[in-house]
């Protein structure tokens, strides 16, 4: 064992030999902080690792009887007999073993040398433990190539065993040829390739055979330019000609390899900076283990090589050496994160606290008040309902998989449609901050490929798949601001992603499907910039009904001109700028607490409808469809279909999830129906001219003059295009555009004008 000798050195005794370890020990800890283990030969490393695999055991105490289990020996034998030639070793177990100090230190400081030695030790163990010994006269067996993988689990502080996770932007030259632990999100997956790890050569002159082992990563094999054998086949001793070797392809050994593009997590990117990325090299059993959008914890080696991935040997004749290296990560282990709880560490104390918090009868109101508390709400606007809707979207419903394999989404989508300056973007910013996984984007700055996925050409040839915003936000939410500014073809591209929660790609010979299990929170302005109470909602929504039906909740956020509301809003804003409403701004639950509670509920609760709540939902849907069928006053901008029934079910499940309830009660359904009525159904049933403001005498005179102009321009029984009539009123009649639209709508309401097909107006006879 190692023991402390002085402040700067220690003695290490192994097999009767004393070796010096340069370094400093910390408070009696056996970990070497600085220095290297000198004179530790490769044979010693192999012997110690074989001993670790044979002897490492842990005690099972679950059944009342203690049982010693040889953890890695049994796992190794089972994998090999099942045809999986690999072994996964926990770095923490390696450090805790009696001989693991040398192994752990070598792994951290010289992993490129350490890993091949350990894989050679696994091949020896394969011949000892798995493969039978050859009988007399039989050729000795040859062990297959066995992959050694490493993993490590994070503690509550985010440290991985004895190592700390690093950000991609913090990687520097000090980490080259060291073991690192990185977290990131996969944005690009290249097509898998086959690499020869053992190359067999044959001399074309003397039939001399030669074998070359190729290192892992972007390393090439060097073919000798001369043969060391003699040309005995020609009957005379002659030297072989230059470059005589040819590759015997059928005797070479190949492994699969793949290159991933790992980008730093969105929450790690400073505002205004470009996200940074690294290439990750994976091989053998790590290939095809993840897709774009997967969040990974990678244990690997930071490598700086001479040539870029896929690059050739061109330019090697140039004088000097290329000192600028191509850096990448050679993965030794990959762990794919699952669910929305990624990156959220919940301690046992937090679990107990949240379990008690869920029993609070006012927990739903506390959550709603904690949603964007700095945004003022009053009884005369819709802001309070928007907060309830955002809370439902964050908690989400229950995802379901039917017996036939069909999946039903549990994520809710919300559209905020309204006037400028009504805090729509603030809701998006708050949702991005509180959700464990979130991506914020703007409609005009986003394309169809940027939101979904794209096929990009690789520098070395071929194509690779690169995920967009909705793929990167898998398991979270996507906030799309200025949704109305998007091109129509770009909006159509997210139809499948919003309902089926998948993205189908069939381009450049790549046919695949990506998961986009995320919620969409979008903000948009009406077609004419501001909401006009005298026009129908359908005329002001610049969206197709196909995408409107995919939103669970649609809120009309209007800038209502009311003296009491204006005074309350002005007082709240001035208090915010003066710093006088600190408690109200924080809310009952702070953002970190709400974020943890949100992750806690989503990971541990999956509520379902009961018979009574299902009957209440069925009756509401039938009555609503009957009212829509009998309403012949005009077309509804939002069709009420089965999608809206599923939306109410998801909202009911979200309210139940806030209380950590496994069953959806009638109270949850009632609150969901109330919220749906005040949002989507209210938007669909908005009558022409409903909620019109008080018209001043001056505005009334302007409207009367505009109506007289309309009667002159459109004779009785005559027809004229609506847009053409508005243009004539503005240009020839001297009427402003808003008054012209109001006058046309007033005459439509009174029946003087009738709207025909293709937006044509006809005056009654």
């Amino acid at each position: 064992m190692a023991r402390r000798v002085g402040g700067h050195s220690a003695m290490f005794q192994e097999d009767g030999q004393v070796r010096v370890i340069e370094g400093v020990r910390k408070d009696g800890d056996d970990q070497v902080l600085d220095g290297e283990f000198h004179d530790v030969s490769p044979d010693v490393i192999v012997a110690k690792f074989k001993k670790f695999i044979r002897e490492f055991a842990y005690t099972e105490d679950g059944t009342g009887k203690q049982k010693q289990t040889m953890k890695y020996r049994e796992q190794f034998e089972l994998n090999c007999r099942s045809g999986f030639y690999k072994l996964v070793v926990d770095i923490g177990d390696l450090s805790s073993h009696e001989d693991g100090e040398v192994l752990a230190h070598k792994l951290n400081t010289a992993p490129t040398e350490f890993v091949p030695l350990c894989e050679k030790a696994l091949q020896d163990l394969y011949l000892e433990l798995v493969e039978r010994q050859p009988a007399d006269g039989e050729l000795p067996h040859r062990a297959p190539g066995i992959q050694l993988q490493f993993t490590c689990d994070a503690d509550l502080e985010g440290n991985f065993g004895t190592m700390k996770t690093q950000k991609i932007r913090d990687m520097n030259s000090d980490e080259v040829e060291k073991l690192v632990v990185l977290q990131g999100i996969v944005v690009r997956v290249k097509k898998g390739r086959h690499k020869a790890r053992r190359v067999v050569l044959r001399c074309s002159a003397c039939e001399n055979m030669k074998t070359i082992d190729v290192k892992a990563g972007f390393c090439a094999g060097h073919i000798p330019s001369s043969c060391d054998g003699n040309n005995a086949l020609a009957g005379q001793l002659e030297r072989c000609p230059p470059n005589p070797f040819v590759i015997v392809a059928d005797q070479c050994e190949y492994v699969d390899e793949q290159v991933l593009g790992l980008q730093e997590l969105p929450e790690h990117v400073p505002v205004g900076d470009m996200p940074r990325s690294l290439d990750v090299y994976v091989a053998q059993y790590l290939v095809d283990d993840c897709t774009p959008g997967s969040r990974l914890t990678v244990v690997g080696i930071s490598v700086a090589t001479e040539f870029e991935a896929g690059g050739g040997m061109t330019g090697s004749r140039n004088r000097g050496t290329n000192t600028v290296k191509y850096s990448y990560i050679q993965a030794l282990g990959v762990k794919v994160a699952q669910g929305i709880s990624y990156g959220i560490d919940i301690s046992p104390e937090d679990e107990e606290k949240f379990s008690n918090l869920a029993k609070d009868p006012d927990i739903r109101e506390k959550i709603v008040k904690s949603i964007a508390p700095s945004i003022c709400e009053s009884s005369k606007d819709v802001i309070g309902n928007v907060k309830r809707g955002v809370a439902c979207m964050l908690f989400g419903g229950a995802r379901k998989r039917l017996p036939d394999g069909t999946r039903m989404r549990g994520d809710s989508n919300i559209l905020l449609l309204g006037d400028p300056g009504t805090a729509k973007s603030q809701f998006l910013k708050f949702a991005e901050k509180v959700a464990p996984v979130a991506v914020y984007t703007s409609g005009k700055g986003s394309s169809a490929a940027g939101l979904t996925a794209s096929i990009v050409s690789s520098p070395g040839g071929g194509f690779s798949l690169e995920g967009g915003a909705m793929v990167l936000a898998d398991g979270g939410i996507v906030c799309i601001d200025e949704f109305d500014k998007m091109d129509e073809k770009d909006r159509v591209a997210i139809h499948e992603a919003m309902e089926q929660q998948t993205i189908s790609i069939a381009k450049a010979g790549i046919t695949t499907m990506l998961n986009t299990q995320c919620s969409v929170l979008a903000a948009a302005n009406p077609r004419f910039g501001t909401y006009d109470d005298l026009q129908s909602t359908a005329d002001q929504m610049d969206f197709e009904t196909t995408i409107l039906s995919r939103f669970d909740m649609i809120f009309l956020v209007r800038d209502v001109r009311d003296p009491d509301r204006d005074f309350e809003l002005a007082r709240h804003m001035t208090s915010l700028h003066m710093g006088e409403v600190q408690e109200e701004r924080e809310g009952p639950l702070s953002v970190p607490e709400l974020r943890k509670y949100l992750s806690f509920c989503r990971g541990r609760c999956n509520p379902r409808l009961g018979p009574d709540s299902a009957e209440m939902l069925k009756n509401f849907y039938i009555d609503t469809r009957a009212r829509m069928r009998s309403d012949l006053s005009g077309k509804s901008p939002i069709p009420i279909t089965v999608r809206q029934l599923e939306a109410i079910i998801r909202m009911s499940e979200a309210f139940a999830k806030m209380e950590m309830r496994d069953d959806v009660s009638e109270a949850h359904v009632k609150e969901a129906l109330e919220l749906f009525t005040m949002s989507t159904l209210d938007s669909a049933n908005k009558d022409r001219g409903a909620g019109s403001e008080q018209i001043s005498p001056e505005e009334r005179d302007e409207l009367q003059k505009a109506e007289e102009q309309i009667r002159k321009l459109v004779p009785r029984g005559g027809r004229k295009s609506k847009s053409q009539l508005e243009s004539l009123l503005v240009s020839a009649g001297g009427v402003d555009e808003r008054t012209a639209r109001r006058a046309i709508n007033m005459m439509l309401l009174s029946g003087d004008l009738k709207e025909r097909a293709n937006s044509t107006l006809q005056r009654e006879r």
Side-chain angles (χ1 to χ4, degrees):
M1 287 291 295
R3 59 185 180 86
R4 181 167 182 171
V5 176
H8 299 283
S9 64
M11 306 299 293
F12 180 80
Q13 184 173 0
E14 197 272 328
D15 295 337
Q17 297 182 4
V18 177
R19 312 187 190 279
V20 179
I21 308 171
E22 298 295 336
V24 180
R25 300 188 182 277
K26 179 182 178 182
D27 298 331
D29 192 0
D30 287 337
Q31 181 185 5
V32 177
L33 301 180
D34 294 319
E36 299 178 354
F37 286 86
H38 297 293
D39 300 332
V40 180
S41 65
D43 294 337
V44 174
I45 297 292
V46 172
K48 287 184 175 295
F49 188 75
K50 290 168 67 174
K51 181 181 179 182
F52 166 76
I53 298 299
R54 285 197 195 97
E55 299 180 357
F56 185 84
Y58 69 98
T59 303
E60 292 182 350
D61 199 13
T63 59
K65 296 181 180 180
Q66 292 187 353
K67 178 184 176 182
Q68 288 288 117
T69 301
M70 310 307 292
K71 180 177 180 180
Y72 294 113
R73 177 172 178 169
E74 294 180 3
Q75 176 190 338
F76 178 67
E77 293 181 9
L78 179 61
N79 288 349
C80 291
R81 289 193 172 95
S82 302
F84 298 99
Y85 300 107
K86 68 174 183 178
L87 179 66
V88 182
V89 176
D90 193 325
I91 297 178
D93 294 340
L94 193 67
S95 303
S96 62
H97 193 254
E98 59 180 355
D99 289 331
E101 185 178 15
V102 180
L103 301 178
H105 184 76
K106 278 292 184 182
L107 174 62
N108 290 330
T109 57
T112 306
E113 174 189 354
F114 175 80
V115 174
L117 292 175
C118 293
E119 290 181 342
K120 178 180 180 298
L122 291 179
Q123 289 181 317
D124 296 341
L125 287 175
Y126 175 84
L127 297 176
E128 297 175 13
L129 304 176
V130 181
E131 190 66 52
R132 67 177 179 85
Q133 295 296 326
D136 294 339
E138 291 184 356
L139 294 176
H141 299 295
R142 187 171 182 275
I146 301 175
Q147 184 182 23
L148 177 61
Q149 300 179 13
F150 289 97
T151 184
C152 51
D153 295 326
D155 56 19
L156 295 179
E157 285 75 25
N159 301 327
F160 289 83
T162 58
M163 307 181 63
K164 289 186 177 181
T165 179
Q166 289 183 282
K167 297 180 181 179
I168 292 179
R169 65 176 49 242
D170 293 338
M171 293 287 294
N172 52 40
S173 59
D174 296 336
E175 310 298 337
V176 175
E177 293 300 327
K178 300 291 179 60
L179 191 73
V180 295
V181 180
L182 296 175
Q183 287 180 318
I185 186 168
V186 178
V187 295
R188 184 175 60 259
V189 176
K190 294 186 178 180
K191 186 178 179 181
R193 302 179 298 186
H194 309 300
K195 177 180 179 178
R197 294 286 286 271
R198 181 183 292 271
V199 181
V200 179
L201 305 175
R202 183 178 65 235
C203 179
S204 58
C206 68
E207 300 294 327
N208 180 32
M209 304 294 290
K210 195 175 186 66
T211 301
I212 298 176
D213 291 327
V214 184
K215 294 182 179 180
F218 298 123
C219 296
H222 176 68
I223 299 178
S225 59
S226 61
C227 178
D228 54 2
N230 292 320
N231 194 350
L233 296 178
Q236 54 184 347
L237 296 177
E238 296 180 356
R239 294 191 62 85
C240 298
N243 301 319
F245 284 109
V246 294
I247 297 176
V248 185
D250 56 345
Q251 296 185 24
C252 297
E253 294 181 5
Y254 301 90
V255 295
D256 297 327
E257 67 171 18
Q258 193 177 34
V259 180
L260 311 176
L262 190 70
Q263 182 177 293
E264 59 183 334
L265 298 174
E267 53 266 28
H268 292 169
V269 182
V271 178
D273 281 14
M274 292 286 291
R276 301 185 184 181
S277 60
L278 277 174
D279 283 344
V280 177
Y281 173 90
V282 295
Q284 292 180 261
Y285 295 99
L286 298 177
V287 174
D288 293 333
D289 201 24
C290 59
T291 57
S294 302
R295 295 186 169 224
L296 302 182
T297 300
V298 180
V299 181
I301 309 171
S302 177
V303 182
T305 187
E306 184 71 23
F307 302 101
E308 192 172 347
M313 300 291 289
T314 58
S316 59
R317 295 181 178 271
N318 295 338
R319 294 181 179 179
T321 302
N322 184 11
T323 57
V324 179
K325 306 296 183 180
Y326 165 68
S327 301
Y328 66 96
I329 302 296
Q330 179 186 335
L332 301 179
V334 170
K335 183 178 180 181
V336 182
Q338 301 291 338
I340 196 172
S341 60
Y342 177 77
I344 305 295
D345 298 317
I346 300 177
S347 63
E349 293 79 9
D350 291 333
E351 293 185 5
E352 182 179 359
K353 174 184 175 182
F354 293 151
S355 299
N356 296 330
L357 186 63
K359 300 175 183 178
D360 188 348
D362 298 329
I363 181 60
R364 282 183 290 171
E365 291 301 322
K366 289 183 178 180
I367 292 173
V368 172
K369 290 181 180 178
S370 302
I371 300 295
S374 61
I375 300 177
C376 178
E377 63 174 288
S378 65
S379 59
K380 297 184 179 181
D381 58 17
V382 76
I383 296 298
N385 294 327
V386 174
K387 293 185 177 183
R388 293 167 63 195
V390 172
C392 287
M393 181 203 66
L394 290 172
F395 281 84
R399 295 189 181 121
K400 306 173 185 68
R401 181 179 289 273
L402 303 183
D404 61 352
T406 305
R407 294 189 308 179
M408 302 180 69
R409 66 181 172 98
D411 301 286
S412 300
N413 302 320
I414 296 180
L415 174 63
L416 305 180
L417 180 71
D419 300 330
T422 50
K424 301 187 299 298
S425 298
Q426 296 301 319
F427 277 112
L428 270 64
K429 287 291 186 181
F430 181 84
E432 181 205 12
K433 183 169 58 174
V434 77
V437 178
V439 175
Y440 185 94
T441 183
S442 178
K444 196 61 179 176
S446 304
S447 63
L451 285 174
T452 56
S454 59
I455 305 294
V456 296
S457 59
S458 302
F463 297 91
S464 61
L465 190 62
E466 195 164 309
M470 301 190 76
V471 176
L472 302 184
D474 186 28
I477 65 171
V478 175
C479 302
I480 307 177
D481 205 356
E482 306 294 343
F483 192 61
D484 56 307
K485 309 301 188 300
M486 289 179 62
D487 294 335
E488 183 60 32
K489 58 184 174 79
D490 295 333
R491 279 203 299 263
V492 171
I494 66 175
H495 281 189
E496 178 192 358
M498 290 182 65
E499 184 61 32
Q500 305 301 326
Q501 294 198 321
T502 57
I503 292 175
S504 302
I505 297 293
K507 295 179 180 179
I510 298 177
T511 303
T512 186
M513 184 177 293
L514 302 176
N515 288 329
T516 58
Q517 296 181 1
C518 61
S519 301
V520 175
L521 177 59
N525 298 119
R527 177 178 294 177
F528 302 108
T530 58
Y531 191 84
D532 193 346
D533 296 303
L534 294 178
Q535 279 195 320
S536 66
T537 306
D539 293 337
Q540 300 189 72
M541 285 187 177
D542 194 16
F543 306 111
E544 298 292 335
T545 56
T546 52
I547 198 166
L548 289 177
S549 65
R550 286 169 166 80
F551 285 104
D552 296 28
M553 290 168 275
I554 299 177
F555 293 96
L556 296 179
V557 188
R558 295 180 295 165
D559 185 9
V560 181
R561 295 172 179 82
D562 179 80
D564 296 335
R565 178 183 178 278
D566 293 343
F567 174 78
E568 184 178 350
L569 179 61
R571 182 181 59 83
H572 178 77
M573 290 301 298
T574 53
S575 300
L576 276 180
H577 285 277
M578 294 170 62
E580 295 179 355
V581 287
Q582 185 71 24
E583 296 182 359
E584 183 181 354
R585 185 170 57 189
E586 291 182 353
L589 297 175
S590 64
V591 172
E593 289 178 339
L594 183 60
R595 198 165 182 253
K596 281 190 176 183
Y597 185 71
L598 168 65
S599 176
F600 177 78
C601 293
R602 292 197 62 155
R604 292 166 175 79
C605 186
N606 201 22
R608 288 291 187 270
L609 286 174
D612 296 336
S613 54
E615 185 69 20
M616 182 184 295
L617 283 169
K618 182 181 68 176
N619 295 335
F620 175 82
Y621 177 70
I622 293 174
D623 294 343
T624 304
R625 292 276 292 185
R627 286 199 306 271
M628 288 292 175
R629 209 165 33 245
S630 61
D631 185 13
L632 302 177
S633 60
K635 65 177 182 178
S636 171
I638 307 160
I640 304 300
T641 62
V642 178
R643 284 179 176 170
Q644 277 61 50
L645 177 61
E646 292 181 343
I648 302 172
I649 295 174
R650 284 189 287 268
M651 292 156 62
S652 305
E653 293 169 346
F655 283 122
K657 194 176 288 188
M658 294 179 193
E659 300 177 348
M660 289 290 293
R661 296 278 297 273
D662 292 329
D663 57 326
V664 179
S665 65
E666 295 184 17
H668 299 144
V669 175
K670 184 178 180 181
E671 188 168 357
L673 292 176
E674 180 183 353
L675 181 59
F676 181 78
T677 303
M678 293 181 177
S679 58
T680 307
L681 204 60
D682 183 54
S683 304
N685 290 332
K686 191 70 79 172
D687 295 327
R688 295 174 185 269
S692 59
E693 301 172 329
Q694 296 293 331
I695 301 177
S696 63
E698 294 80 6
E699 291 176 335
R700 190 177 300 277
D701 294 339
E702 293 293 331
L703 284 174
Q704 290 178 356
K705 293 178 181 179
E707 290 178 5
E708 292 177 1
Q709 293 286 340
I710 293 174
R711 293 186 180 95
K712 293 179 181 179
L713 294 172
V714 184
R716 291 186 178 274
R719 294 192 179 190
K720 193 173 289 290
S721 171
K722 187 176 182 180
S723 58
Q724 184 182 4
L725 181 58
E726 289 182 5
S727 301
L728 289 174
L729 287 173
V730 173
S731 59
V735 181
D736 63 272
E737 188 176 352
R738 179 180 176 85
T739 305
R741 290 201 305 268
R742 281 193 170 191
I744 293 174
N745 286 322
M746 293 292 288
M747 295 185 71
L748 285 170
L749 289 172
S750 62
D752 290 345
L753 293 177
K754 294 291 185 182
E755 190 169 0
R756 303 301 182 188
N758 299 324
S759 298
T760 302
L761 301 178
Q762 180 180 9
R763 187 179 171 192
E764 292 299 305
R765 295 183 180 275

